[in-house]
Amino acid sequence: IFFRFTHLPMWLSASIAVVVAFLSYQVRVWNGCPPGTHSASRLSFPRECTPCPLGTRRSVEEAHCEPCPEMTHPSHDRTACLPCPAGQYANQGDANCMLCPA
């Protein structure tokens, strides 16, 4: 939502619009839990944050835990997807990399 503050100086109106946009982004992205965790219920207070499910990760920019893509696995803290070592592979959402078949 964009508001036009006609009774304020232009610089102040623009500053307010930037703050409103930033806060709306933060509310949309931040789910009340730190990166690598999520809350199964939006209604609980205080939030009960649990680690993202195996094979998924959640960074600061994401609202939900997302599966790691092929050839990657989640970091120990489940905040990022890391590439599989040479000679190993992972399907999307796998918790660990596996040795390639011989």
Side-chain angles (χ1 to χ4, degrees):
I1 299 172
F2 181 76
F3 297 98
R4 188 173 179 102
F5 301 97
T6 55
H7 61 285
L8 298 174
M10 185 179 286
W11 67 269
L12 184 56
S13 177
S15 297
I16 291 171
V18 167
V19 169
V20 167
F22 174 76
L23 291 176
S24 67
Y25 171 77
Q26 292 301 317
V27 167
R28 185 170 34 91
V29 168
W30 188 70
N31 74 357
C33 294
T37 66
H38 72 113
S39 176
S41 172
R42 292 181 175 233
L43 303 176
S44 65
F45 186 82
R47 293 273 169 132
E48 293 183 26
C49 299
T50 58
C52 287
L54 291 175
T56 66
R57 53 87 174 99
R58 183 175 145 310
S59 66
V60 174
E61 297 85 21
E62 295 164 321
H64 307 286
C65 298
E66 299 290 336
C68 287
E70 289 184 1
M71 301 305 293
T72 66
H73 66 97
S75 60
H76 179 70
D77 61 4
R78 298 184 189 158
T79 59
C81 294
L82 306 173
C84 289
Q88 296 186 16
Y89 75 98
N91 296 313
Q92 180 178 355
D94 281 353
N96 299 300
C97 296
M98 299 168 279
L99 289 174
C100 293

